[in-house]
Amino acid sequence: MFLPSFASLPPPAQPAELAQVISPSQAELLGTTITPDLSSTTPISPEPTSDLTAPRPLGEANAETSVVRDQPLEVTADRQEFDLMRRLFNAIGNVFLRFKEAELTADRVQTDIDAQILVAEGNVTITRGDQVLQGDRLEYNLRLDQGSLTNARGVVNAARVDQDLRLTAAPDSPPIRPLPGLDQRDTVLQAEATETFDRLRFEADRLEFDGRRWFATNLRITNDPFSPPELEARAQEAIAEPLNADETLLRVRRGRVVFDQRMALPIVLRRFVVGRPYEILPFEFGYDERDRGGLFLLYRYRALNTPNIQITFLPSIYLERIISNDVDLFDAKSYGAAIELGHRFTRQTRVRGYGFLNTLNPNDWPSTSRAGADLFHSIDARNLLTVSAIYRQRVFNRSLGEQEITSSFGGTFSGTGIPLGQGLAFNYLLGGQYITAASDDPALPPKPSLGRIQAAANLNWGMPIWRGTPLPPTRTQGLRYSPRPVQPFLEFYSQLGGVVNYYTNGSTQPALTVGAGLRGQFGRFARKWLDYTSFDLGFTQTLGEPSSPFLFDRVSDFSVLNVGFLQQIYGPVRAGTQLQINVDTGRVFDTNIIVEYSRRTYGVVFRYNLDRQLAAILLRISGFNWRGNADPFSSPRLGTATDGVIRSN
C-alpha cells in the first residue's frame, strides 16, 4: 500500500467503525486499538543535568529540530486497516514501511494520521544506509523527527552515522539481517577484514533521539563483531551528537571498559569526540634510564582537543628515583613535566611542538630540558616539506650508541614510497640544517656549530616468493587472536641507496648502501600452540668513510646483519626480538625484547630496548579511535641515524 502525504488526506465524511478482524491470530496481534498521545511523553531516564542533557519530550519542537512535512509512507503488510473516526492506520503482520529512504519492519505498526505519530511493536528493525537499529517498541514523531526505542540494539557505521540517520539524505540501504545480542554466541558470522572495525554494535535499555542527538540508558557498545564480545564499553547514560561529517561528541556517565567479560577499567573522561585520539587511561607507566632515572609514572591531561588544536600536559613522577633517594617525596629531581602542542592550519599544513623538563629544579633546566617544533606542509600524498627547530634531541647512531644534538634549525624536502612499477619504490630527501652537536675531531671545538647540506635517495624492491591462503574471518578461525586474518607469505627484498653530507668546515661524507633479505610469516595464529612465526633476515653493506665531524650522523657500521623474530607461545601470547649485528666487529646493538598479548579487538605489548634503556607498555584497541599508552619509541625527542640520515621512529 502507498499512502499519500499526511497533509493531503481528506477529513472523514462520516463516522466509520474499525474493519472487522477475521482470524483469531490477527485479533490477538491487533488487540485493543491504541491512541498514543506521545505529545506529553517524557524520557524515562534519570533527571538530566546541564552536562548530560536528554532529548526534549517528543512533542516539544525547537528551532534546531528538523520538521518533516508532506512525506509519503510506503507500507506493505499481511493486513492493513484504517479507522476513519479516529484517523488511525494499522498494519498487522510482516509490516514493511519505507519513509525518506529509511526502512522499518515490525509485527505491528499503528500511525496517528493527524499527530503524525507512529508506534511499532514486535521485532522492530530500522535500517538506513549502514545503520541498523532493532528493538521491542518504537515510538516516533514523523513531523519532529523525535522518538524512542526500548530494548534497543543495532549496528552503526561510525564514519557514516550522521549521514545515514538524517532524513534529508538518501543513502543506499543494505539488506536487513538479524543481529545477535551481546550476550548471545555466534560462530557463523564473518567480519570484514579491514584496518579497523568501523562498524560498532550496541545495546541499550532505552534509546531516545531528538533531531541529531541520541540519548541512551545502560548502554553497551563493542567493536567486536562476535558475541560475547572480547571488549565492550559500558555507560549508565550516554549522549551522542554529531559535530561534523567525521566526528561525534560523546558524553558518558559512569563509563567503564570491560575486557573478556571479566576485567573492567573506568573511563575517566566524561566527554570526548569519536574520531579524535584518546588514551584509554589518563596515566601510563614507562622506563627511561637516561632522562627519568628508570621507572616512571606519567599523567596525560588533554587541556585542549579540537579538530585543529591539541594541547596536552604530561606531569611525571620518577618512581625509581624516589626509591633510590630514600623515598624523598620533596626532591624536585623526582618529578618532571612535558607539554605537547599541535595545530592544523589547513589540510596540508600543520605544526607540532613539544617541551620537556627533566626535573622541576630551574637550575637544571639549561642542561636537562628538551624542546622542538616542526612545521609540515604536504605537497601531495607522498611529498612533504618540513621545517624544524630542535633543542637537545636524543639520536641513536647504531653501534656508536645514543648521541645528542644540542641544537638544530633547518628544513627538508622528502618523498616516500613513490611507485616506479615492477615492485620498485623510490624515496628521496633534500635538506639543510645549522647544527650544534658533539664532535671528537681535534681540529674542532667539543661542540662545533656547522651547516650541513644533505641529499639522499634509495630504491626498494620487493618480490613475493609465496603467498598462503588466510583463514576465513570468523571468531574461531582467522580472527581468533588478531584483528585481521593472518596470511602466510615469503618475500625477497632488496635496496640500493646513497647519501651525501656536506659540512661548512669542508668535510664530506658520501655513502653507498646495498642490501637484501628474506622476510615472511608462517602459521595463521588460530591454534593455541606455535601457530605463528614471523622472521626478517637481511644484510646491508655500506661503502664509504666515517668522515662526518659530528658523532650523531657518522657512518660507523659498514656490514650489518638485521635479525627479527616473533613467535606464538600459547594462545594470544607472542614473544620475539629485533636486533642488529656489526659483522666486522661482532657487536650487537639496538636489541629489542617484545612480549605481546594479542586479541582481535585489543592487545597489550611490552617492549624493552637494551641499548637505549627504554621500555613501554602499549595498549591497542581496534576501531575505537583511541590511542594506546604513549610509546617512548615514537617520541619526537628520539631519532635513529642510519648511514648518516636521521629517520623518525
Side-chain angles (χ1 to χ4, degrees), residues 307-330:
N308 295 322
I309 303 175
Q310 298 84 38
I311 301 177
T312 305
F313 295 102
L314 303 97
S316 303
I317 302 176
Y318 305 147
L319 302 176
E320 195 164 331
R321 282 187 184 177
I322 292 176
I323 295 173
S324 62
N325 292 336
D326 298 325
V327 196
D328 185 0
L329 300 178
F330 300 98

PDB file of all heavy atoms in Angstrom, residues 307-330:
ATOM      1  N   PRO A 307      39.448  19.663  16.447  1.00  0.00           N
ATOM      2  CA  PRO A 307      39.952  19.142  15.169  1.00  0.00           C
ATOM      3  C   PRO A 307      41.240  19.807  14.697  1.00  0.00           C
ATOM      4  O   PRO A 307      42.022  19.188  13.983  1.00  0.00           O
ATOM      5  CB  PRO A 307      38.791  19.418  14.200  1.00  0.00           C
ATOM      6  CG  PRO A 307      37.577  19.469  15.054  1.00  0.00           C
ATOM      7  CD  PRO A 307      38.027  20.048  16.354  1.00  0.00           C
ATOM      8  N   ASN A 308      41.502  21.061  15.115  1.00  0.00           N
ATOM      9  CA  ASN A 308      42.666  21.779  14.612  1.00  0.00           C
ATOM     10  C   ASN A 308      43.722  22.074  15.670  1.00  0.00           C
ATOM     11  O   ASN A 308      44.872  22.369  15.320  1.00  0.00           O
ATOM     12  CB  ASN A 308      42.229  23.103  13.967  1.00  0.00           C
ATOM     13  CG  ASN A 308      41.378  22.880  12.732  1.00  0.00           C
ATOM     14  OD1 ASN A 308      41.626  21.964  11.960  1.00  0.00           O
ATOM     15  ND2 ASN A 308      40.369  23.706  12.555  1.00  0.00           N
ATOM     16  N   ILE A 309      43.375  22.017  16.943  1.00  0.00           N
ATOM     17  CA  ILE A 309      44.319  22.378  18.003  1.00  0.00           C
ATOM     18  C   ILE A 309      44.313  21.302  19.079  1.00  0.00           C
ATOM     19  O   ILE A 309      43.243  20.865  19.526  1.00  0.00           O
ATOM     20  CB  ILE A 309      43.965  23.742  18.634  1.00  0.00           C
ATOM     21  CG1 ILE A 309      43.928  24.841  17.567  1.00  0.00           C
ATOM     22  CG2 ILE A 309      44.965  24.103  19.722  1.00  0.00           C
ATOM     23  CD1 ILE A 309      43.469  26.176  18.100  1.00  0.00           C
ATOM     24  N   GLN A 310      45.511  20.879  19.499  1.00  0.00           N
ATOM     25  CA  GLN A 310      45.659  19.945  20.600  1.00  0.00           C
ATOM     26  C   GLN A 310      46.756  20.454  21.535  1.00  0.00           C
ATOM     27  O   GLN A 310      47.850  20.798  21.083  1.00  0.00           O
ATOM     28  CB  GLN A 310      46.027  18.532  20.120  1.00  0.00           C
ATOM     29  CG  GLN A 310      44.995  17.874  19.218  1.00  0.00           C
ATOM     30  CD  GLN A 310      45.132  18.284  17.775  1.00  0.00           C
ATOM     31  OE1 GLN A 310      46.241  18.438  17.276  1.00  0.00           O
ATOM     32  NE2 GLN A 310      44.015  18.484  17.101  1.00  0.00           N
ATOM     33  N   ILE A 311      46.437  20.508  22.826  1.00  0.00           N
ATOM     34  CA  ILE A 311      47.404  20.878  23.863  1.00  0.00           C
ATOM     35  C   ILE A 311      47.311  19.833  24.967  1.00  0.00           C
ATOM     36  O   ILE A 311      46.230  19.611  25.514  1.00  0.00           O
ATOM     37  CB  ILE A 311      47.149  22.282  24.432  1.00  0.00           C
ATOM     38  CG1 ILE A 311      47.211  23.339  23.321  1.00  0.00           C
ATOM     39  CG2 ILE A 311      48.150  22.601  25.530  1.00  0.00           C
ATOM     40  CD1 ILE A 311      46.891  24.733  23.795  1.00  0.00           C
ATOM     41  N   THR A 312      48.438  19.203  25.284  1.00  0.00           N
ATOM     42  CA  THR A 312      48.463  18.142  26.278  1.00  0.00           C
ATOM     43  C   THR A 312      49.578  18.411  27.280  1.00  0.00           C
ATOM     44  O   THR A 312      50.714  18.698  26.892  1.00  0.00           O
ATOM     45  CB  THR A 312      48.690  16.769  25.618  1.00  0.00           C
ATOM     46  OG1 THR A 312      47.706  16.567  24.608  1.00  0.00           O
ATOM     47  CG2 THR A 312      48.588  15.652  26.641  1.00  0.00           C
ATOM     48  N   PHE A 313      49.243  18.318  28.565  1.00  0.00           N
ATOM     49  CA  PHE A 313      50.224  18.432  29.645  1.00  0.00           C
ATOM     50  C   PHE A 313      50.525  17.039  30.194  1.00  0.00           C
ATOM     51  O   PHE A 313      49.610  16.212  30.348  1.00  0.00           O
ATOM     52  CB  PHE A 313      49.702  19.339  30.761  1.00  0.00           C
ATOM     53  CG  PHE A 313      49.513  20.763  30.336  1.00  0.00           C
ATOM     54  CD1 PHE A 313      48.244  21.252  30.044  1.00  0.00           C
ATOM     55  CD2 PHE A 313      50.593  21.622  30.220  1.00  0.00           C
ATOM     56  CE1 PHE A 313      48.058  22.562  29.650  1.00  0.00           C
ATOM     57  CE2 PHE A 313      50.421  22.937  29.830  1.00  0.00           C
ATOM     58  CZ  PHE A 313      49.153  23.414  29.541  1.00  0.00           C
ATOM     59  N   LEU A 314      51.820  16.788  30.505  1.00  0.00           N
ATOM     60  CA  LEU A 314      52.241  15.463  30.933  1.00  0.00           C
ATOM     61  C   LEU A 314      53.142  15.557  32.170  1.00  0.00           C
ATOM     62  O   LEU A 314      54.365  15.469  32.071  1.00  0.00           O
ATOM     63  CB  LEU A 314      52.984  14.733  29.803  1.00  0.00           C
ATOM     64  CG  LEU A 314      52.245  14.562  28.479  1.00  0.00           C
ATOM     65  CD1 LEU A 314      52.667  15.665  27.513  1.00  0.00           C
ATOM     66  CD2 LEU A 314      52.502  13.213  27.878  1.00  0.00           C
ATOM     67  N   PRO A 315      52.594  15.739  33.357  1.00  0.00           N
ATOM     68  CA  PRO A 315      53.413  15.669  34.572  1.00  0.00           C
ATOM     69  C   PRO A 315      53.851  14.234  34.842  1.00  0.00           C
ATOM     70  O   PRO A 315      53.130  13.280  34.540  1.00  0.00           O
ATOM     71  CB  PRO A 315      52.463  16.180  35.662  1.00  0.00           C
ATOM     72  CG  PRO A 315      51.092  15.919  35.129  1.00  0.00           C
ATOM     73  CD  PRO A 315      51.184  16.050  33.639  1.00  0.00           C
ATOM     74  N   SER A 316      55.054  14.072  35.422  1.00  0.00           N
ATOM     75  CA  SER A 316      55.634  12.744  35.633  1.00  0.00           C
ATOM     76  C   SER A 316      56.145  12.607  37.057  1.00  0.00           C
ATOM     77  O   SER A 316      56.593  13.585  37.671  1.00  0.00           O
ATOM     78  CB  SER A 316      56.793  12.490  34.652  1.00  0.00           C
ATOM     79  OG  SER A 316      56.372  12.629  33.315  1.00  0.00           O
ATOM     80  N   ILE A 317      56.081  11.389  37.564  1.00  0.00           N
ATOM     81  CA  ILE A 317      56.682  11.017  38.839  1.00  0.00           C
ATOM     82  C   ILE A 317      57.718   9.941  38.553  1.00  0.00           C
ATOM     83  O   ILE A 317      57.403   8.906  37.969  1.00  0.00           O
ATOM     84  CB  ILE A 317      55.632  10.487  39.827  1.00  0.00           C
ATOM     85  CG1 ILE A 317      54.545  11.533  40.079  1.00  0.00           C
ATOM     86  CG2 ILE A 317      56.295  10.092  41.145  1.00  0.00           C
ATOM     87  CD1 ILE A 317      53.422  11.040  40.971  1.00  0.00           C
ATOM     88  N   TYR A 318      58.965  10.177  38.968  1.00  0.00           N
ATOM     89  CA  TYR A 318      60.045   9.232  38.720  1.00  0.00           C
ATOM     90  C   TYR A 318      60.144   8.271  39.904  1.00  0.00           C
ATOM     91  O   TYR A 318      60.815   8.548  40.911  1.00  0.00           O
ATOM     92  CB  TYR A 318      61.362   9.973  38.499  1.00  0.00           C
ATOM     93  CG  TYR A 318      61.294  11.009  37.386  1.00  0.00           C
ATOM     94  CD1 TYR A 318      62.037  12.179  37.447  1.00  0.00           C
ATOM     95  CD2 TYR A 318      60.480  10.805  36.279  1.00  0.00           C
ATOM     96  CE1 TYR A 318      61.983  13.115  36.425  1.00  0.00           C
ATOM     97  CE2 TYR A 318      60.414  11.728  35.262  1.00  0.00           C
ATOM     98  CZ  TYR A 318      61.163  12.888  35.338  1.00  0.00           C
ATOM     99  OH  TYR A 318      61.089  13.806  34.313  1.00  0.00           O
ATOM    100  N   LEU A 319      59.464   7.152  39.782  1.00  0.00           N
ATOM    101  CA  LEU A 319      59.324   6.227  40.901  1.00  0.00           C
ATOM    102  C   LEU A 319      60.667   5.655  41.339  1.00  0.00           C
ATOM    103  O   LEU A 319      60.943   5.527  42.541  1.00  0.00           O
ATOM    104  CB  LEU A 319      58.362   5.106  40.522  1.00  0.00           C
ATOM    105  CG  LEU A 319      56.947   5.552  40.110  1.00  0.00           C
ATOM    106  CD1 LEU A 319      56.122   4.352  39.671  1.00  0.00           C
ATOM    107  CD2 LEU A 319      56.261   6.268  41.259  1.00  0.00           C
ATOM    108  N   GLU A 320      61.499   5.293  40.373  1.00  0.00           N
ATOM    109  CA  GLU A 320      62.778   4.681  40.732  1.00  0.00           C
ATOM    110  C   GLU A 320      63.709   5.691  41.403  1.00  0.00           C
ATOM    111  O   GLU A 320      64.467   5.340  42.319  1.00  0.00           O
ATOM    112  CB  GLU A 320      63.434   4.081  39.491  1.00  0.00           C
ATOM    113  CG  GLU A 320      64.567   3.122  39.800  1.00  0.00           C
ATOM    114  CD  GLU A 320      64.944   2.264  38.614  1.00  0.00           C
ATOM    115  OE1 GLU A 320      64.054   1.975  37.767  1.00  0.00           O
ATOM    116  OE2 GLU A 320      66.123   1.876  38.519  1.00  0.00           O
ATOM    117  N   ARG A 321      63.655   6.954  40.985  1.00  0.00           N
ATOM    118  CA  ARG A 321      64.457   7.978  41.646  1.00  0.00           C
ATOM    119  C   ARG A 321      64.002   8.188  43.091  1.00  0.00           C
ATOM    120  O   ARG A 321      64.818   8.375  43.995  1.00  0.00           O
ATOM    121  CB  ARG A 321      64.368   9.293  40.886  1.00  0.00           C
ATOM    122  CG  ARG A 321      65.220   9.364  39.631  1.00  0.00           C
ATOM    123  CD  ARG A 321      65.193  10.759  39.048  1.00  0.00           C
ATOM    124  NE  ARG A 321      65.931  10.824  37.799  1.00  0.00           N
ATOM    125  CZ  ARG A 321      66.013  11.932  37.046  1.00  0.00           C
ATOM    126  NH1 ARG A 321      65.408  13.044  37.447  1.00  0.00           N
ATOM    127  NH2 ARG A 321      66.695  11.923  35.914  1.00  0.00           N
ATOM    128  N   ILE A 322      62.697   8.170  43.304  1.00  0.00           N
ATOM    129  CA  ILE A 322      62.179   8.354  44.660  1.00  0.00           C
ATOM    130  C   ILE A 322      62.665   7.230  45.571  1.00  0.00           C
ATOM    131  O   ILE A 322      63.101   7.459  46.704  1.00  0.00           O
ATOM    132  CB  ILE A 322      60.641   8.422  44.631  1.00  0.00           C
ATOM    133  CG1 ILE A 322      60.177   9.700  43.934  1.00  0.00           C
ATOM    134  CG2 ILE A 322      60.078   8.361  46.043  1.00  0.00           C
ATOM    135  CD1 ILE A 322      58.681   9.809  43.785  1.00  0.00           C
ATOM    136  N   ILE A 323      62.605   6.001  45.064  1.00  0.00           N
ATOM    137  CA  ILE A 323      63.034   4.864  45.881  1.00  0.00           C
ATOM    138  C   ILE A 323      64.533   4.932  46.156  1.00  0.00           C
ATOM    139  O   ILE A 323      64.995   4.689  47.280  1.00  0.00           O
ATOM    140  CB  ILE A 323      62.659   3.547  45.183  1.00  0.00           C
ATOM    141  CG1 ILE A 323      61.130   3.420  45.085  1.00  0.00           C
ATOM    142  CG2 ILE A 323      63.240   2.352  45.923  1.00  0.00           C
ATOM    143  CD1 ILE A 323      60.658   2.232  44.275  1.00  0.00           C
ATOM    144  N   SER A 324      65.325   5.283  45.141  1.00  0.00           N
ATOM    145  CA  SER A 324      66.786   5.339  45.326  1.00  0.00           C
ATOM    146  C   SER A 324      67.213   6.491  46.220  1.00  0.00           C
ATOM    147  O   SER A 324      68.307   6.474  46.787  1.00  0.00           O
ATOM    148  CB  SER A 324      67.482   5.449  43.970  1.00  0.00           C
ATOM    149  OG  SER A 324      67.106   6.643  43.308  1.00  0.00           O
ATOM    150  N   ASN A 325      66.353   7.519  46.375  1.00  0.00           N
ATOM    151  CA  ASN A 325      66.654   8.666  47.239  1.00  0.00           C
ATOM    152  C   ASN A 325      65.971   8.530  48.597  1.00  0.00           C
ATOM    153  O   ASN A 325      65.546   9.534  49.191  1.00  0.00           O
ATOM    154  CB  ASN A 325      66.220   9.971  46.568  1.00  0.00           C
ATOM    155  CG  ASN A 325      67.044  10.310  45.356  1.00  0.00           C
ATOM    156  OD1 ASN A 325      68.189   9.865  45.231  1.00  0.00           O
ATOM    157  ND2 ASN A 325      66.479  11.083  44.440  1.00  0.00           N
ATOM    158  N   ASP A 326      65.848   7.302  49.082  1.00  0.00           N
ATOM    159  CA  ASP A 326      65.250   7.039  50.403  1.00  0.00           C
ATOM    160  C   ASP A 326      63.836   7.598  50.511  1.00  0.00           C
ATOM    161  O   ASP A 326      63.438   8.183  51.531  1.00  0.00           O
ATOM    162  CB  ASP A 326      66.122   7.628  51.514  1.00  0.00           C
ATOM    163  CG  ASP A 326      67.512   7.008  51.551  1.00  0.00           C
ATOM    164  OD1 ASP A 326      67.609   5.792  51.260  1.00  0.00           O
ATOM    165  OD2 ASP A 326      68.477   7.726  51.853  1.00  0.00           O
ATOM    166  N   VAL A 327      63.079   7.417  49.431  1.00  0.00           N
ATOM    167  CA  VAL A 327      61.664   7.834  49.385  1.00  0.00           C
ATOM    168  C   VAL A 327      61.525   9.311  49.778  1.00  0.00           C
ATOM    169  O   VAL A 327      60.676   9.690  50.594  1.00  0.00           O
ATOM    170  CB  VAL A 327      60.782   6.931  50.279  1.00  0.00           C
ATOM    171  CG1 VAL A 327      59.309   7.118  49.920  1.00  0.00           C
ATOM    172  CG2 VAL A 327      61.165   5.471  50.132  1.00  0.00           C
ATOM    173  N   ASP A 328      62.367  10.146  49.178  1.00  0.00           N
ATOM    174  CA  ASP A 328      62.284  11.587  49.396  1.00  0.00           C
ATOM    175  C   ASP A 328      61.262  12.167  48.416  1.00  0.00           C
ATOM    176  O   ASP A 328      61.561  12.391  47.235  1.00  0.00           O
ATOM    177  CB  ASP A 328      63.648  12.231  49.192  1.00  0.00           C
ATOM    178  CG  ASP A 328      63.641  13.724  49.521  1.00  0.00           C
ATOM    179  OD1 ASP A 328      62.567  14.239  49.910  1.00  0.00           O
ATOM    180  OD2 ASP A 328      64.699  14.364  49.385  1.00  0.00           O
ATOM    181  N   LEU A 329      60.056  12.425  48.913  1.00  0.00           N
ATOM    182  CA  LEU A 329      58.976  12.901  48.055  1.00  0.00           C
ATOM    183  C   LEU A 329      59.081  14.384  47.738  1.00  0.00           C
ATOM    184  O   LEU A 329      58.302  14.888  46.921  1.00  0.00           O
ATOM    185  CB  LEU A 329      57.621  12.611  48.711  1.00  0.00           C
ATOM    186  CG  LEU A 329      57.315  11.138  48.992  1.00  0.00           C
ATOM    187  CD1 LEU A 329      55.965  11.014  49.686  1.00  0.00           C
ATOM    188  CD2 LEU A 329      57.322  10.323  47.701  1.00  0.00           C
ATOM    189  N   PHE A 330      60.000  15.086  48.367  1.00  0.00           N
ATOM    190  CA  PHE A 330      60.095  16.532  48.171  1.00  0.00           C
ATOM    191  C   PHE A 330      61.297  16.924  47.326  1.00  0.00           C
ATOM    192  O   PHE A 330      61.581  18.113  47.172  1.00  0.00           O
ATOM    193  CB  PHE A 330      60.161  17.227  49.535  1.00  0.00           C
ATOM    194  CG  PHE A 330      58.961  16.970  50.390  1.00  0.00           C
ATOM    195  CD1 PHE A 330      58.999  15.994  51.374  1.00  0.00           C
ATOM    196  CD2 PHE A 330      57.786  17.670  50.195  1.00  0.00           C
ATOM    197  CE1 PHE A 330      57.897  15.740  52.168  1.00  0.00           C
ATOM    198  CE2 PHE A 330      56.673  17.431  50.981  1.00  0.00           C
ATOM    199  CZ  PHE A 330      56.726  16.453  51.969  1.00  0.00           C
TER     200      PHE A 330
END
